[in-house]
Amino acid sequence: MPAIPAPVAGRGAHARERVMAAALDQLADEGSAGFTMEAIARRAGASKATLYRRWPSASALLVDAMATTFRPLRTPSDEDIREEMVALLTLASQMLASGRFPRLMAAIVDLAERDAALAALHAGITAQQRRPMLELVRRAQAHGEIAPDADPEVIVDMLTAPFFYRRLVAHRPIPTTLARSLVDQVLPRR
Amino acid sequence: MPAIPAPVAGRGAHARERVMAAALDQLADEGSAGFTMEAIARRAGASKATLYRRWPSASALLVDAMATTFRPLRTPSDEDIREEMVALLTLASQMLASGRFPRLMAAIVDLAERDAALAALHAGITAQQRRPMLELVRRAQAHGEIAPDADPEVIVDMLTAPFFYRRLVAHRPIPTTLARSLVDQVLPRR
């Protein structure tokens, strides 16, 4: 059922944001199979021509939307390293528990296999999201709580990968205790 | 370009295998967006009607193909636990390095978000694939090499999740040293 394209309200920046929000909603709801310029235009109440004037493809639109909506995690405070680690992992766990984010992640995982620009952008965003945890791991190494010859990137993987893996691959529950269990394996017990 | 459906060779079991192989190839090549009964039929040289006589949907066909082609990993020997762990992780790493398997995984991650039967099957296969590592972790606990109060499932996550996460989410390289680095974090160093 083709909806009648409504005039894009506000034009300019506001219209652009509305189309980008519609693209993320469409991808989260329908997955990569339903991610077409036509479907995004319909959801945004815009014409396909309007979308094509700004973005050459649905994938380019997605790259733009992701880059725009991305907010890096805050830098951890100088407080207790263990509690800062648990807090960061609890945040990741909460994001993966909500409806939209994991479905968006799942669709991007598939699309990125055939789209080098999207894969590169996703890699960059992931690298930025890892940074606060990387800093905590390095601090723990400086304090002698993690072996100095351990690769901090590998430690960050061991702490964060289980959340994505459980939610997207293994389809296993993520108990609220998981964050603390993981940190207990990496830092010396108290 | 619609191909002329060739008569399905051999009928019965052989034809079924050919269609299932075509379905996996189609999903690996085109992702979930290109995974339709029409495209699978074309690739298998069969008619859509033939496919629908056996499977109600592309997703049901995929569940059948995955269940049929799945081979569980061998049970580890009684040899050195550390070397058995490294060998299992190296195998996972090699699977994720080849072209077809990771792309199939990526597409299934997306499809499973909207398909409970597929998610349940994928969860079951993943649980079976985890079993040999779970056994090694329990043996290491029995030998006092891993704390007795650690959750073996969490340890298996820490060892295996980084491979999937690096390949599918972070788009980071998987060095050949990763398997051993991970095991070094879980077992006491020698």
Side-chain angles (χ1 to χ4, degrees):
Chain A
M1 189 188 67
I4 299 161
V8 174
R11 311 250 158 193
H14 183 68
R16 178 166 166 268
E17 276 165 28
R18 188 145 65 97
V19 171
M20 294 194 302
L24 294 178
D25 287 344
Q26 178 66 16
L27 191 61
D29 287 352
E30 306 295 334
S32 63
F35 193 62
T36 62
M37 285 295 246
E38 185 161 355
I40 299 163
R42 199 182 309 138
R43 195 183 267 255
S47 75
K48 256 204 308 186
T50 303
L51 267 59
Y52 275 114
R53 268 198 293 277
R54 215 188 285 258
W55 298 281
S57 65
S59 185
L61 205 174
L62 175 61
V63 167
D64 200 6
M66 283 173 64
T68 305
T69 59
F70 171 70
R71 296 280 175 277
L73 295 172
R74 67 173 179 80
T75 305
S77 74
D78 281 334
E79 304 295 309
D80 191 298
I81 293 174
R82 171 185 297 267
E83 292 313 312
E84 287 284 339
M85 282 184 173
V86 171
L88 274 177
L89 295 180
T90 302
L91 189 64
S93 172
Q94 284 162 351
M95 282 173 73
L96 282 162
S98 92
R100 182 176 142 146
F101 178 74
R103 283 182 286 129
L104 211 45
M105 282 281 310
I108 289 166
V109 161
D110 185 32
L111 287 173
E113 288 297 312
R114 274 160 298 278
D115 189 326
L118 184 59
L121 181 87
H122 196 214
I125 288 178
T126 305
Q128 273 195 276
Q129 294 287 40
R130 290 165 62 88
R131 228 168 265 173
M133 187 60 91
L134 203 53
E135 194 184 312
L136 288 170
V137 169
R138 290 198 174 116
R139 271 192 225 164
Q141 283 184 309
H143 285 76
E145 296 193 338
I146 292 177
D149 63 340
D151 179 348
E153 297 278 3
V154 171
I155 306 291
V156 174
D157 282 355
M158 294 178 93
L159 289 168
T160 57
F163 294 92
F164 295 91
Y165 169 83
R166 284 201 178 210
R167 176 62 182 76
L168 298 174
V169 177
H171 304 282
R172 294 166 59 81
I174 299 178
T176 52
T177 54
L178 183 60
R180 206 165 281 277
S181 301
L182 290 165
V183 174
D184 278 344
Q185 293 304 316
V186 162
L187 295 182
R189 310 288 184 94
R190 280 177 185 164
Chain B
M1 189 187 69
I4 300 160
V8 175
R11 312 253 157 193
H14 182 68
R16 178 166 166 268
E17 277 165 28
R18 188 145 65 98
V19 171
M20 294 193 303
L24 294 179
D25 286 343
Q26 178 67 17
L27 191 61
D29 287 352
E30 305 295 334
S32 62
F35 193 62
T36 62
M37 285 296 245
E38 185 162 353
I40 299 163
R42 199 181 310 138
R43 194 183 267 256
S47 74
K48 257 203 312 184
T50 303
L51 267 59
Y52 276 113
R53 268 198 294 277
R54 213 186 286 257
W55 298 282
S57 67
S59 186
L61 206 174
L62 175 61
V63 167
D64 201 5
M66 283 173 63
T68 305
T69 58
F70 171 69
R71 297 279 174 279
L73 295 173
R74 68 175 178 79
T75 304
S77 73
D78 281 332
E79 303 297 311
D80 191 298
I81 293 174
R82 170 184 297 266
E83 293 312 313
E84 286 284 340
M85 282 184 173
V86 172
L88 274 176
L89 295 180
T90 301
L91 189 63
S93 173
Q94 285 163 350
M95 282 172 74
L96 282 163
S98 92
R100 184 175 142 145
F101 177 74
R103 282 182 285 131
L104 212 45
M105 282 283 308
I108 289 165
V109 161
D110 185 32
L111 286 173
E113 289 297 312
R114 276 159 297 277
D115 189 326
L118 185 60
L121 180 87
H122 197 214
I125 287 178
T126 304
Q128 273 195 277
Q129 294 287 40
R130 290 165 61 88
R131 226 168 267 172
M133 187 60 89
L134 204 52
E135 195 183 313
L136 288 170
V137 169
R138 290 199 173 114
R139 270 192 224 163
Q141 283 183 309
H143 286 76
E145 297 193 339
I146 292 177
D149 62 341
D151 179 348
E153 298 277 3
V154 171
I155 307 290
V156 173
D157 281 356
M158 295 179 92
L159 289 168
T160 58
F163 294 93
F164 295 92
Y165 169 81
R166 285 202 177 209
R167 177 62 182 79
L168 298 174
V169 177
H171 305 283
R172 292 165 61 82
I174 300 178
T176 51
T177 53
L178 182 60
R180 205 165 284 275
S181 300
L182 291 164
V183 174
D184 278 344
Q185 293 303 319
V186 162
L187 295 182
R189 310 288 184 94
R190 278 180 187 161

